[in-house]
Amino acid sequence: MTKIKESLVIAFVIVLGIAAAVTGYSSYKNGEEATVERLAQALLKNDQTMIKKSMPTFSTKQKISTGTRKMLQHQIRNLKSKEQVVAFLQDEDHFSIKKGASLFEPAKIYPIPRTIELELPQEARLKARLQGRPIVGNYDEDWRKVTFGPFLSGEYELTYELTHPKFGQHKTKERIDLKKTDQRVIIKENNLYDGNAAFQQHLLASAVNYFDSMNEAIRNDLNVSRMAASKEHKEKLQQSFEKLKPSYMENFQQSFQTIQIDCDSIAVNRAQTKVQLDLYVDLKRSMKLIEETGIDEALVSDKQNAIAHFLYDEEQKKWLIDELIFDTFQQDPEKWEQSKSYRGQAEKTAQWCKTSGDNVV
């Protein structure tokens, strides 16, 4: 009987030892340290099954999207060793680690969510990409802001493209640091047009259209109604021609070939209705008066430097020249650091004659 008791005691001790070993192993296997090790290894191997198992949601219980997980992989690629990945996962600024409900349930790692908020200028529409991936946010119309996220902690490349009815498209790229906190980006009004090549090209094209349409008006008996200019500018120009045509002017001629704008001089008013810039045009104009005026020689103007004012036409959805001030100072377009220019294949010439109405193209 004593031997039986001894055998039972020994068996019991063995069972207790096995149970302790199992418990100890489970405690280690499912503990925080081992879970971090497993997740670090899974991240390095891109084991999505283990990643989802060890890191199921954000700390706020929000779902982690596939795209967000892939962007985490991009962050991991910047780390050179498993030790660095482990240190990253153990950083309380980035992750929250929680024990399982029992010894047999593994600990879980929950990323602390980060968001990006972009405040937009009026009338601007936005497309954004994070690490080259399209992202869609929640738009608050009252505050004109878009909130993107949640994302994991890290440093990302944010590319956003603004589309504006008056300034066209403008793309910007910048680094966003989400390691410690959420980020807020205020896109100012001047971001729409400063350095905006598409907007600059639009203004240059508008200037070219102005002088081209002026040539057409000259050929059309000095009728400026179809000119590419603001309504007020056309009215003033038409009044000038109407005063000169009957009694004073016999011949009027205009020619040009090159137009250039100084992009660094572009200034937009606060209401976003007017633009001013420095302009160069190799413009030549001559006006021959009738004999009764007593002036035999043609009056020639070769002023080529101007301050150009543009007005936004809401109906045509275009910037149109509203005023050209040919100043006395001499600009040097060759010294303009940022400029856009146009040069026709040949000089463009138009002429009006009082007697015959002949035109020169």
Side-chain angles (χ1 to χ4, degrees):
M1 190 68 181
T2 303
K3 290 182 178 181
I4 295 174
K5 287 182 179 181
E6 289 178 355
S7 298
L8 289 173
V9 170
I10 292 170
F12 182 68
V13 170
I14 291 173
V15 170
L16 285 178
I18 293 173
V22 170
T23 301
Y25 176 72
S26 296
S27 178
Y28 166 75
K29 179 183 177 182
N30 297 320
E32 298 175 16
E33 184 176 340
T35 301
V36 169
E37 290 280 340
R38 282 195 300 274
L39 179 55
Q41 191 67 28
L43 288 168
L44 289 169
K45 291 184 176 181
N46 195 21
D47 182 349
Q48 290 298 318
T49 301
M50 182 56 70
I51 292 172
K52 292 178 182 179
K53 185 177 180 180
S54 302
M55 191 176 65
T57 66
F58 284 101
S59 60
T60 54
K61 302 303 179 183
Q62 292 170 282
K63 180 181 177 181
I64 304 175
S65 68
T66 301
T68 300
R69 292 183 190 276
K70 289 181 178 179
M71 284 189 279
L72 173 62
Q73 293 297 124
H74 177 83
Q75 301 293 323
I76 297 302
R77 284 197 296 270
N78 294 329
L79 302 177
K80 298 179 180 179
S81 66
K82 181 181 176 181
E83 289 73 23
Q84 287 180 315
V85 178
V86 168
F88 174 61
L89 295 174
Q90 290 176 333
D91 191 330
E92 293 181 356
D93 287 332
H94 306 320
F95 298 93
S96 172
I97 305 174
K98 294 186 178 181
K99 295 180 180 180
S102 69
L103 291 175
F104 301 100
E105 183 178 341
K108 296 290 190 296
I109 300 175
Y110 300 98
I112 296 173
R114 298 280 186 258
T115 59
I116 302 172
E117 182 181 288
L118 270 65
E119 186 175 317
L120 308 180
Q122 287 186 346
E123 300 183 77
R125 290 182 288 112
L126 176 77
K127 289 183 180 179
R129 303 176 75 90
L130 198 67
Q131 296 300 124
R133 296 179 177 276
I135 53 175
V136 178
N138 297 317
Y139 181 60
D140 186 331
E141 189 171 355
D142 293 335
W143 294 96
R144 298 198 312 275
K145 65 180 182 180
V146 183
T147 303
F148 298 100
F151 304 113
L152 290 118
S153 296
E155 189 172 298
Y156 298 90
E157 183 179 85
L158 174 67
T159 303
Y160 54 90
E161 183 180 278
L162 296 169
T163 302
H164 193 274
K166 296 178 181 178
F167 305 110
Q169 293 183 336
H170 190 35
K171 185 179 289 187
T172 302
K173 183 184 294 183
E174 59 182 276
R175 302 297 298 181
I176 298 293
D177 189 354
L178 294 177
K179 293 175 184 175
K180 298 294 183 182
T181 185
D182 301 337
Q183 292 296 321
R184 183 170 180 241
V185 179
I186 300 176
I187 304 174
K188 298 181 180 179
E189 303 287 344
N190 64 302
N191 285 85
L192 296 168
Y193 44 82
D194 284 351
N196 186 338
F199 177 53
Q200 296 163 358
Q201 192 63 42
H202 175 87
L203 294 175
L204 174 64
S206 181
V208 174
N209 289 339
Y210 171 85
F211 289 103
D212 273 336
S213 64
M214 177 69 167
N215 276 3
E216 289 297 325
I218 293 170
R219 299 186 192 107
N220 190 28
D221 197 27
L222 300 178
N223 183 347
V224 304
S225 61
R226 299 180 65 181
M227 270 187 65
S230 70
K231 181 180 179 181
E232 185 176 353
H233 182 80
K234 289 190 291 186
E235 289 175 351
K236 290 180 180 179
L237 192 57
Q238 192 68 67
Q239 289 172 6
S240 298
F241 280 140
E242 293 303 324
K243 289 179 181 179
L244 291 169
K245 279 173 61 177
S247 307
Y248 302 101
M249 192 161 58
E250 182 176 313
N251 179 286
F252 184 85
Q253 182 172 310
Q254 171 181 286
S255 65
F256 75 97
Q257 187 175 6
T258 300
I259 298 175
Q260 187 172 350
I261 63 171
D262 180 6
C263 297
D264 288 334
S265 70
I266 294 174
V268 181
N269 70 334
R270 180 174 292 184
Q272 297 182 355
T273 55
K274 295 181 179 180
V275 170
Q276 177 182 308
L277 57 81
D278 293 339
L279 176 146
Y280 167 84
V281 54
D282 59 350
L283 183 67
K284 297 181 181 68
R285 282 177 178 166
S286 66
M287 181 172 62
K288 185 173 177 19
L289 303 181
I290 61 177
E291 294 182 2
E292 286 79 1
T293 61
I295 301 176
D296 297 330
E297 295 182 359
L299 303 178
V300 178
S301 172
D302 60 355
K303 290 183 177 180
Q304 299 176 331
N305 296 291
I307 297 175
H309 293 263
F310 294 78
L311 185 69
Y312 187 74
D313 189 295
E314 293 286 354
E315 293 183 2
Q316 299 184 55
K317 306 300 180 185
K318 293 179 180 179
W319 290 97
L320 301 175
I321 282 185
D322 184 51
E323 186 178 15
L324 284 171
I325 303 172
F326 287 93
D327 226 39
T328 55
F329 70 93
Q330 293 297 307
Q331 302 167 354
D332 187 354
E334 292 184 359
K335 293 182 179 180
W336 289 348
E337 295 183 7
Q338 300 291 331
S339 67
K340 288 194 177 296
S341 61
Y342 161 87
R343 183 172 177 82
Q345 294 182 350
E347 189 176 56
K348 299 182 177 183
T349 302
Q351 178 176 280
W352 172 85
C353 296
K354 180 181 179 67
T355 54
S356 61
D358 292 337
N359 297 325
V360 178
V361 180

